[in-house]
Amino acid sequence: MLAPESARQHSLEALAVVRDWMDWEQANRLDDMAWYTHSVASRAVYLSQLLTDPRLNSVVTADRGRLESMLVRHADHLADPRHYEPAHNHGMFTDYGLFTAARALDHAHSARWTKIARRRFDETLRQTVQEDEALHLEHSPSYHLVATKLIEKAAIVGLGRQGGLRSLSSRMKDAAAAFVAPDGTLVQFGDSEATPAEVVSNQERIQVFPQAGYAAIRDERVSLFVTAGYHSSAHKHLDDTSFVMWLDKEPLIVDTGNFGYDHNHPFRQYSTSAAAHNVCEVSGDTRDWRSVRPTGSGVLGWKSSGSTFALAVTNPQLGSKVEPTTRLFVYRRDRSLTIIDLVRPAATTECHLHFAPGLNVTRDGSLWKVGTPEFALAWVTGDEGQGATYSLNRGETKPPVRGIVFPRMGEVTPSFTLTAHTPLTSLHTTTIWLEPPGNPTSDCELHMVDDRLSVRLVLDDEILEIDLAVGPSKTASIATS
């Protein structure tokens, strides 16, 4: 919270901005974004603060009439259903702006504006937050924190339902800890940036959020994060079943991130595509997916047994011509992570791994060695025995864009992307080894009968048998032996 004098200075700066904006509008110098609803909502909050802050009475007296008239126009705009974005955080910001305007104005429509804001806020909250798991459903940890702060503010001013918002915002803060990387930044799923998380990461534990579609697995050496869910088009990327991974507190597998929101820019188009994420995609398939109905969580099931953890997720392959694909993560503590992708019907696929900036990726016999010139961090094996070929890209900024990441918006950083190009097949396997494998070859047998999946996996001469049954409710059980 700002000190009184700092708060007054902040308000004076806001007043200067508002005066400048009014002058620009009077001179007809504003562009179309001036009345973009999210911008209108933010200005409404500032205007309301200026008109209700008693420390500024003497300062705003000369402008009070213009400010009040301007706020009425903003409130009318925010109340208009043509400008509302339901099932989106912008909708909640719109209602917060409208509610604060209604409270600041002694106007004939204040009661109506208040009623509209409360009704819409409650509905949008139900659409965008999985309350049992206290997770925001816009596919991005960054927006989870944005929504958490807004809900906390809404509870303070009395917007929304009576009771429960303070508790919800508190639980959302706790849930955010699941998406904090070992370096204290947010995991870059969806439109997230690698910025300080503002919350403390969880300790060694396994967390699965079956309704929201996330998993976080931490132990002494590995932090593994998985995303699998399509709840709306808000900040959605084609990243179902993607993952990021830290090894020994260092980033190993990363997400491409968010370049920005100019949807015509090739970097934005790349960053939201399947090629920018650690997923398997069907080669050459058209991905016009935004009209596809949301499919909800893609988490099928999980099981921890001894030092082995298995997680099954599904990718709806939005806009694709193939059926939803199944991905199975098999993590052996301190040893390896194996990713098994089942594609039905059999198809030619491209499976991507994006490595952290600063890491080198080189061929080492039958292995891909990942690390620096001084040391190897991990080793990768795949399906060469099944006819897969590999391409390695770095820093390609002209379409087709490959081998770049965006730690922060507008920040373009080269990094290695390893892509496995598989022939017509239904099964693809990749193993990331945490230590040099004695026998780097792996063998995977998979049997699919009705809705039952059985996997026999041989890794470094160890046999793992995994059984997965998917019921009508998309729940699953996994057993390891």
Side-chain angles (χ1 to χ4, degrees):
M1 182 176 293
L2 294 173
E5 186 56 35
S6 297
R8 185 176 187 279
Q9 182 61 33
H10 180 71
S11 297
L12 289 172
E13 292 171 358
L15 178 59
V17 171
V18 169
R19 283 172 172 165
D20 185 61
W21 191 92
M22 290 190 294
D23 291 341
W24 274 61
E25 184 186 37
Q26 189 173 7
N28 197 27
R29 298 171 64 190
L30 298 174
D31 59 23
D32 293 339
M33 288 298 291
W35 286 96
Y36 176 53
T37 302
H38 195 36
S39 302
V40 176
S42 298
R43 280 199 307 273
V45 173
Y46 276 113
L47 284 165
S48 300
Q49 292 172 346
L50 293 174
L51 289 170
T52 57
D53 188 343
R55 294 168 298 186
L56 298 179
N57 283 339
S58 60
V59 180
V60 302
T61 298
D63 294 297
R64 183 168 293 276
R66 290 180 71 195
L67 293 173
E68 289 179 347
S69 176
M70 181 179 174
L71 185 54
V72 169
R73 290 173 56 206
H74 280 57
D76 279 334
H77 182 98
L78 297 173
D80 191 331
R82 294 174 300 177
H83 304 143
Y84 193 74
E85 293 185 72
H88 199 290
N89 75 81
H90 288 188
M92 291 198 293
F93 275 102
T94 297
D95 293 323
Y96 183 74
L98 179 59
F99 186 78
T100 57
R103 293 207 317 167
L105 291 166
D106 182 14
H107 192 274
H109 291 164
S110 290
R112 180 175 67 86
W113 292 333
T114 298
K115 184 177 180 180
I116 291 172
R118 281 181 165 153
R119 173 182 56 79
R120 293 190 314 198
F121 186 89
D122 283 346
E123 178 62 25
T124 301
L125 182 68
R126 285 192 292 270
Q127 294 170 330
T128 57
V129 176
Q130 211 300 318
E131 295 197 35
D132 290 339
E133 296 173 352
L135 281 175
H136 190 239
L137 298 178
E138 291 188 5
H139 317 103
S140 309
S142 287
Y143 282 93
H144 174 88
L145 286 180
V146 167
T148 299
K149 293 175 183 177
L150 180 60
I151 292 169
E152 186 176 30
K153 290 180 180 179
I156 292 172
V157 301
L159 172 60
R161 67 190 184 209
Q162 298 300 311
L165 286 188
R166 290 181 185 271
S167 173
L168 177 60
S169 65
S170 177
R171 291 192 297 116
M172 289 177 71
K173 285 182 182 178
D174 293 339
F179 305 100
V180 181
D183 62 0
T185 62
L186 282 174
V187 172
Q188 280 194 275
F189 289 145
D191 280 334
S192 295
E193 298 180 74
T195 53
E198 302 177 18
V199 292
V200 179
S201 66
N202 289 326
Q203 301 301 312
E204 296 178 20
R205 60 188 299 194
I206 294 172
Q207 290 177 283
V208 181
F209 302 94
Q211 300 304 314
Y214 293 107
I217 300 93
R218 289 182 175 85
D219 61 30
E220 186 175 326
R221 295 193 64 195
V222 168
S223 293
L224 173 68
F225 306 89
V226 178
T227 182
Y230 173 36
H231 305 283
S232 73
S233 62
H235 302 290
K236 175 63 182 166
H237 294 195
L238 285 173
D239 61 354
D240 298 86
T241 73
S242 187
F243 69 103
V244 295
M245 182 178 179
W246 271 253
L247 176 59
D248 296 329
K249 311 303 181 184
E250 297 292 334
L252 176 62
I253 306 295
V254 299
D255 190 276
T256 299
N258 176 19
F259 172 74
Y261 295 103
D262 178 358
H263 295 277
N264 294 318
H265 198 291
F267 287 176
R268 173 64 183 181
Q269 294 171 356
Y270 169 66
S271 70
T272 60
S273 71
H277 302 287
N278 301 299
V279 300
C280 267
E281 61 172 327
V282 177
S283 302
D285 210 352
T286 301
R287 305 302 295 272
D288 182 14
W289 62 273
R290 292 190 181 275
S291 61
V292 178
R293 292 174 61 88
T295 54
S297 171
V299 173
L300 298 176
W302 66 98
K303 179 72 175 181
S304 181
S305 178
S307 61
T308 301
F309 174 79
L311 170 73
V313 290
T314 183
N315 184 339
Q317 295 292 337
L318 302 173
S320 175
K321 298 174 183 177
V322 302
E323 297 177 20
T325 58
T326 300
R327 169 169 277 192
L328 184 65
F329 292 91
V330 181
Y331 171 57
R332 300 184 302 162
R333 187 182 179 104
D334 291 332
R335 300 178 69 183
S336 63
L337 171 68
T338 298
I339 305 105
I340 305 167
D341 288 288
L342 173 65
V343 182
R344 294 181 300 170
T348 302
T349 60
E350 295 179 356
C351 302
H352 312 285
L353 287 178
H354 299 272
F355 295 94
L359 294 179
N360 293 324
V361 181
T362 56
R363 193 70 172 174
D364 185 12
S366 61
L367 304 170
W368 291 94
K369 184 168 66 174
V370 185
T372 69
E374 291 75 28
F375 71 96
L377 184 62
W379 296 259
V380 177
T381 56
D383 285 337
E384 288 93 340
Q386 304 299 320
T389 60
Y390 286 82
S391 61
L392 190 62
N393 303 91
R394 183 179 185 273
E396 298 178 17
T397 58
K398 294 182 179 180
V401 177
R402 292 290 187 274
I404 57 174
V405 297
F406 314 110
R408 290 172 178 78
M409 282 199 295
E411 182 180 319
V412 183
T413 304
S415 67
F416 280 105
T417 298
L418 180 66
T419 300
H421 307 268
T422 66
L424 190 66
T425 182
S426 60
L427 190 65
H428 174 68
T429 304
T430 299
T431 298
I432 300 172
W433 304 86
L434 311 189
E435 301 292 344
N439 178 7
T441 61
S442 62
D443 182 57
C444 181
E445 295 180 8
L446 184 147
H447 302 282
M448 191 77 178
V449 179
D450 296 326
D451 289 327
R452 194 164 197 90
L453 176 67
S454 298
V455 178
R456 184 177 186 272
L457 182 63
V458 181
L459 288 171
D460 206 11
D461 299 325
E462 179 182 352
I463 299 175
L464 294 174
E465 294 183 345
I466 301 167
D467 188 64
L468 181 152
V470 180
S473 62
K474 287 191 175 182
T475 59
S477 61
I478 298 174
T480 60
S481 63

